Amino acid sequence: MTAPLRLRLDGGALVDNWRALAALSGDAACGAAVKADGYGLGAREVVVRLAEAGCRDFFVATWAEAAALAPLGVTLSVLHGVRAEDMAAAAAIAGARPVLNTAAQVARWRAAGGGACDVMLDTGMNRLGVSANEVAAGLLDGLAIETLMSHLACGDEDGPMNARQRGALVAVGERVAARRLSLANSAGIGLGRDYTFDLTRPGLALYGGLPRADFPAAIRQVAWPEAQILQRRTLHAGDTIGYNATFTAPRDLPVAILNIGYADGYWRGFSGRGTARAGGAALPVIGRVSMDLIAVDISAAPALDEGDWVGLDFDLSRAAALSGMSQYELLTGLGARFDRVWS
């Protein structure tokens, strides 16, 4: 059974983006954040393509995400660490390591026999991670640490916090027996070689997002939503359409009703602002975006009819500005009802 909406996914663009990020990473290995189902694109398909291209380090958030990717035989770091409830999975999933974030997680891992792990150091994000003081008190002594990592709070901006976080990681790294240091996400890669260390962890830029306005690489769009026309209708001058009657037809208009809405990640912020496209024709979204449906003015493509497909303008930078959502939200919000079609 096929869905009346689909996500066109460009595998070539995905791989090209990773290669561009790997080149910017210099001597550092370039991994890939594939949490949240590959930022909404489909983690399994993303991992297969990037592993074939040479990526060797993949990052997920939870052990459920790790279990779903385990059959691919890749190396996985589980960013949210290891709860008591996760220990059975942590022992069973070959190639998956916890990123230990708290003293309790460190103790739990030691009690289970230890083994290779990663550690998150809090250098100022004040989210997840052990503190420098805990490390100085010996918290990590004797652990088999593969990667000591931290996370930039303001990597998409130029400011003093980036250098402070970098310095804090270096200081702790000098006393911890970790094989690698890692700090840079997509935005951090854009800060230059001082931030790439031994391993980079891009996410957004892999999938076509621009993490910084001055990002020093050509990043290609990967995901393009398309929706099928469920009904063609005519609005007469003075007619309204959609919830709260926010749009009034200034003249007779041909209108297409598309099978997509905010339940699919096409957010209400696109109401009266978004654009669909058919060939070279721009089709403005009119009225409110609802849960499952939007309406578009097809005056510029009057031959469109029920059953035809149209694309949604989903250039991430432009769509973020129009909708008021971040590029991350636009990607990870892409719903399960899409048929994901890779080229």
Side-chain angles (χ1 to χ4, degrees):
M1 185 178 298
T2 60
L5 70 168
R6 62 196 179 200
L7 199 58
R8 292 285 186 189
L9 297 163
D10 188 338
L14 174 74
V15 170
D16 286 349
N17 290 344
W18 179 79
R19 287 176 173 153
L21 293 162
L24 287 176
S25 299
D27 294 333
C30 183
V34 294
K35 59 185 179 175
D37 198 24
Y39 280 49
L41 276 60
R44 184 181 181 88
E45 295 296 330
V46 168
V47 169
V48 166
R49 284 162 175 77
L50 294 184
E52 289 177 351
C55 184
R56 294 293 176 263
D57 297 274
F58 296 92
F59 298 86
V60 295
T62 68
W63 288 94
E65 292 180 337
L69 298 175
L72 299 179
V74 296
T75 299
L76 298 161
S77 293
V78 183
L79 292 165
H80 291 183
V82 60
R83 306 170 301 158
E85 299 94 325
D86 298 323
M87 290 304 295
I93 300 174
R97 298 189 302 268
V99 180
L100 303 177
N101 291 288
T102 70
Q105 290 183 3
V106 171
R108 187 175 297 124
W109 193 244
R110 286 188 193 276
C117 62
D118 299 328
V119 173
M120 178 66 72
L121 175 70
D122 180 17
T123 58
M125 184 76 149
N126 285 315
R127 200 172 58 172
L128 290 179
V130 301
S131 71
N133 287 340
E134 288 175 309
V135 176
L139 177 66
L140 305 181
D141 290 357
L143 280 181
I145 302 173
E146 174 67 18
T147 306
L148 177 69
M149 64 183 73
S150 193
H151 194 72
L152 291 167
C154 305
D156 56 346
E157 303 171 353
D158 292 321
M161 190 168 187
N162 294 326
R164 288 200 301 270
Q165 288 192 263
R166 181 190 182 279
L169 177 62
V170 169
V172 173
E174 289 175 348
R175 74 170 313 278
V176 172
R179 193 174 78 83
R180 303 186 294 187
L181 298 182
S182 178
L183 180 62
N185 56 3
S186 294
I189 292 172
L191 292 173
R193 298 289 174 85
D194 285 347
Y195 289 83
T196 55
F197 289 99
D198 304 303
L199 171 66
T200 60
R201 314 187 308 269
L204 179 67
L206 286 174
Y207 307 111
L210 285 179
R212 294 174 55 91
D214 60 349
F215 199 73
I219 296 298
R220 294 168 55 196
Q221 185 90 1
V222 177
W224 301 98
E226 297 179 346
Q228 199 168 22
I229 297 174
L230 296 181
Q231 185 177 15
R232 179 194 166 112
R233 60 190 309 122
T234 299
L235 287 186
H236 297 291
D239 284 348
T240 62
I241 193 168
Y243 285 119
N244 301 112
T246 60
F247 176 84
T248 301
R251 61 185 184 282
D252 289 358
L253 295 176
V255 172
I257 308 301
L258 306 185
N259 191 100
I260 192 170
Y262 57 75
D264 308 299
Y266 195 76
W267 305 113
R268 287 186 64 173
F270 288 113
S271 299
R273 296 182 175 188
T275 305
R277 295 194 178 274
L283 314 174
V285 174
I286 57 175
R288 285 269 171 85
V289 173
S290 55
M291 183 181 293
D292 312 297
L293 301 168
I294 63 171
V296 297
D297 175 358
I298 58 171
S299 298
L304 288 173
D305 207 347
E306 183 175 328
D308 290 336
W309 289 82
V310 299
L312 282 301
D313 190 346
F314 210 68
D315 175 88
L316 288 170
S317 295
R318 184 165 59 246
L322 286 174
S323 66
M325 310 294 282
S326 73
Q327 296 176 66
Y328 297 88
E329 291 168 298
L330 292 174
L331 283 169
T332 60
L334 293 168
R337 298 193 294 189
F338 286 96
D339 283 339
R340 283 163 167 77
V341 182
W342 286 88
S343 61

